[in-house]
Amino acid sequence: MNMKLDPWGSVNIDDYSKLFDEFGIMPFEDICAELSDPHRYMRRKMIFGHRSYDLIKDAMKNKEPFSVMSGFMPTGGGHLGHKMVMEEIIWHQKMGADAFVGIADREAYSVRGISWDKCRQIGIEDYIVSLIALGFEPDGHIYFQSESENVKDLAFELSAKANFSELSAIYGFSGETNVAHMVSAITQSADILQPQLSEYGGPKPTVIPVGADQDPHMRLTRGLAHKMNMFRIEGREDKNKNKFFSVRSKAAPEGSLAEIAERLPWDTKLFEGHIDIYGADDYNKLLETVREVEIENGGYAFVPPSSTYHRFMSGLQGGKMSSSVPESLISLKEDPKLAAKKVKRAKTGGRVSLEEQKKLGGEADKCSVYELLMFHLVENDNELAEIYDECVCGKRMCGTCKALASELMEEFLTDHQEKRELAKDRLDDYGL
């Protein structure tokens, strides 16, 4: 495929399965079956892939600390595509995650040239207010990149581990790319790793819900997390096929390997630059000890972040959803009655005639109206399955779905906008 995923461009992904081979993204379907109460995006396979989500699954199952983090670049109005990410953040928060939401004003300034004041206005009015209205709880963390000393300081440290060649390979940067744009990419990594700072409880699994176009940020950050850590744990085998662990120093302070060896309950052999551990029957204990020593010696011991990837919604007129084409999307601040009219004008998967529709059935998988029902408007899986079956067997006509979707869309937006007004009065609860 040789696809270049561009977080700031317009990417059209025709075959999501190719991302598994091209970028090492894992299918989400198998891990979903192990979740006790998966979100509808998970159940309906709109979340199609992941990196290391097993860490999040285990943390939820064992009631252990974990975080969720994602962000929004304040360049335009929030719409149904942004609502997907908001819902995923809120679901993880309800599952026990410490939730972080960053408003990427540094990115908007460097990539789109939007003023700082405009970034703040859009960030609050179009994203934060809707996030709160959808159910984000005050115990989470909402911040602007430009106002977060944690993020700015961490971005500076991370930049010492990155170079232009790496950024160019991941993002396609060239000699024409401005330096602020490169800094904004590193700042994204600082956003992602911030939940693991000591003031938030230290290293822990952290999941980033994103669209597939944002995967370059994940690849960069996972690489930087490895580079920042002082130690590397490897599984090894001696000439007699005996397996053991080796903890290897990556420029760790002198004496820190000896500290690890002293704290471990197993047989250890200390060498210059590494320790070999024999008989270790508890990998988590080994990992915990290594992380403790790293943090005590001024390191971070980052857990490489996990991620989930969701499918993109189609535009209402077919093709891609684009903020530059108002008829292709529905804003969260849109007049509910006008939004309902948009739905009635949307492209469907219907046949060219009523007779052909009854004979061949509709093509729900190509229908933007069915997508609205599946992504946003119908919570009950059985009800959605009935709509799908009636469509593809020719019992259900497009007008019926349009009437249902337009009514539900008007109801949702009316309710959401009422909750937005209440959310505006609660901004102080979120430190804004």
Side-chain angles (χ1 to χ4, degrees), residues 135-255:
F136 188 84
E137 295 292 343
D139 60 359
H141 314 270
I142 302 175
Y143 66 94
F144 286 78
Q145 288 176 330
S146 64
E147 299 173 5
S148 172
E149 295 304 317
N150 278 342
V151 169
K152 288 187 281 189
D153 289 347
L154 184 54
F156 182 80
E157 289 192 53
L158 293 173
S159 67
K161 300 293 184 180
N163 57 54
F164 176 74
S165 295
E166 183 177 19
L167 294 177
S168 179
I170 293 174
Y171 295 106
F173 289 161
S174 68
E176 301 301 313
T177 304
N178 69 62
V179 175
H181 192 163
M182 300 179 202
V183 171
S184 78
I186 301 294
T187 303
Q188 295 266 3
S189 294
D191 286 323
I192 292 168
L193 294 173
Q194 181 186 204
Q196 300 191 55
L197 296 180
S198 58
E199 67 187 82
Y200 300 118
K204 66 179 74 66
T206 303
V207 61
I208 320 299
V210 291
D213 61 332
Q214 301 298 304
D215 186 57
H217 293 316
M218 296 309 306
R219 281 181 276 136
L220 174 66
T221 307
R222 286 169 65 86
L224 288 174
H226 282 295
K227 290 179 181 179
M228 290 289 287
N229 290 346
M230 293 178 176
F231 303 101
R232 181 175 69 252
I233 302 176
E234 298 177 349
R236 297 205 158 202
E237 192 174 79
D238 64 20
K239 61 183 180 182
N240 297 318
K241 304 296 184 180
N242 296 313
K243 294 182 178 180
F244 63 97
F245 287 108
S246 182
V247 178
R248 311 188 82 78
S249 168
K250 295 160 56 182
E254 186 176 350

Side-chain angles (χ1 to χ4, degrees), residues 329-432:
L329 56 80
I330 292 174
S331 164
L332 294 173
K333 294 165 61 179
E334 192 150 350
D335 180 278
K337 292 191 180 299
L338 292 179
K341 289 180 180 178
K342 274 189 181 180
V343 174
K344 289 180 179 178
R345 296 194 297 267
K347 184 184 179 192
T348 69
R351 303 292 181 174
V352 294
S353 68
L354 190 64
E355 181 181 356
E356 190 173 328
Q357 177 94 350
K358 290 180 178 179
K359 180 179 179 181
L360 300 177
E363 296 181 287
D365 296 320
K366 298 180 180 180
C367 178
S368 63
V369 175
Y370 178 74
E371 268 196 2
L372 289 174
L373 298 173
M374 178 175 65
F375 277 69
H376 298 287
L377 301 176
V378 176
E379 181 65 34
N380 186 284
D381 289 346
N382 292 330
E383 180 183 353
L384 186 71
E386 184 178 346
I387 291 170
Y388 182 92
D389 291 342
E390 288 182 356
C391 171
V392 298
C393 75
K395 288 178 61 179
R396 192 178 187 92
M397 300 299 108
C398 295
T400 303
C401 273
K402 282 189 172 184
L404 174 63
S406 61
E407 179 183 351
L408 292 175
M409 182 60 70
E410 184 173 348
E411 289 177 1
F412 162 71
L413 286 176
T414 299
D415 178 68
H416 179 66
Q417 289 166 19
E418 289 174 357
K419 290 177 178 176
R420 276 178 51 86
E421 292 306 310
L422 296 174
K424 291 175 184 178
D425 296 329
R426 299 179 58 210
L427 289 172
D428 285 348
D429 298 340
Y430 296 80
L432 298 162

Side-chain angles (χ1 to χ4, degrees), residues 41 43-44 57 107 126-127 130 171 187 250 289 301 311 354 419 431:
Y41 294 158
R43 301 193 309 264
R44 297 174 186 177
K57 177 204 69 176
E107 184 181 12
D126 289 88
Y127 295 96
S130 279
Y171 295 106
T187 303
K250 295 160 56 182
T289 303
R311 299 175 187 274
L354 190 64
K419 290 177 178 176

